[in-house]
Amino acid sequence: MKISSKVIAPLALATAFGLGMVAPHAQTTPQKVGFVDVSKLLAAHPNDKDIKAIQAKADAELAALDKQVKAIDAKGASASAAEKQNRDALVKTIQAKAAEYDKQLDPKITAVESAVDTAVGSVAKANGFSIVMDKGVAAKSGLVIYADTSAEITDAVVKAIK
């Protein structure tokens, strides 16, 4: 019995495709995964104190204004027209002050996040990690159930930040 090229060609193509799919997986090197505590890294940055001070000032000032709004809201329909007008002015003041505080905080937060990202990247590369995950998020999401403590690089990154 003679085998025709019409039978061999599809068979050869399927074999080549199958081998092509297997070969890359056999050559893949394992990825080293590391973990960091992002909240600890953000708190370790020197500018974190400035950020917390601005947030505390904003919280105190906005809470006092919010308390006045809630007092007027508690009166409900019995609030006078002047009180309702005062409430509207207070809400606008709260929104304006919140925007002012956001303008102060945004560049500081961006700088801290950038510094932390850079430090994580440099420590990860120096230690051969190809992936670094936030351990809090990984644990809460159920994405990671167990991780060897040698995969924890938070302390090394904190040293790099300071």
Side-chain angles (χ1 to χ4, degrees):
M1 172 174 164
K2 186 174 181 183
I3 299 177
S4 73
S5 61
K6 289 182 181 181
V7 173
I8 292 179
L11 184 60
L13 182 62
T15 303
F17 180 74
L19 289 174
M21 294 299 292
V22 173
H25 297 291
Q27 297 173 0
T28 304
T29 58
Q31 302 293 313
K32 190 172 176 185
V33 179
F35 296 92
V36 293
D37 183 344
V38 173
S39 60
K40 185 176 178 181
L41 297 178
L42 294 173
H45 193 278
N47 290 347
D48 186 62
K49 292 176 183 148
D50 294 340
I51 292 170
K52 286 198 167 125
I54 293 169
Q55 286 174 331
K57 183 178 176 185
D59 289 346
E61 186 174 352
L62 297 176
L65 294 171
D66 189 52
K67 186 176 179 181
Q68 292 175 30
V69 170
K70 287 181 180 176
I72 295 169
D73 288 345
K75 293 182 180 183
S78 65
S80 68
E83 288 173 321
K84 290 178 182 177
Q85 189 175 17
N86 184 31
R87 182 198 181 281
D88 292 340
L90 286 169
V91 169
K92 287 180 183 175
T93 301
I94 289 171
Q95 291 170 341
K97 292 214 176 261
E100 285 176 30
Y101 283 117
D102 284 345
K103 281 183 183 177
Q104 291 176 29
L105 285 170
D106 284 345
K108 292 181 183 294
I109 290 171
T110 300
V112 168
E113 288 174 344
S114 177
V116 167
D117 287 347
T118 301
V120 168
S122 66
V123 169
K125 283 182 183 179
N127 290 293
F129 289 97
S130 52
I131 299 170
V132 177
M133 301 174 74
D134 181 347
K135 74 177 187 178
V137 173
K140 287 179 188 174
S141 68
L143 182 64
V144 175
I145 298 168
Y146 168 80
D148 188 341
T149 56
S150 65
E152 172 70 39
I153 61 171
T154 302
D155 292 337
V157 176
V158 167
K159 289 178 186 175
I161 290 172
K162 293 182 178 185

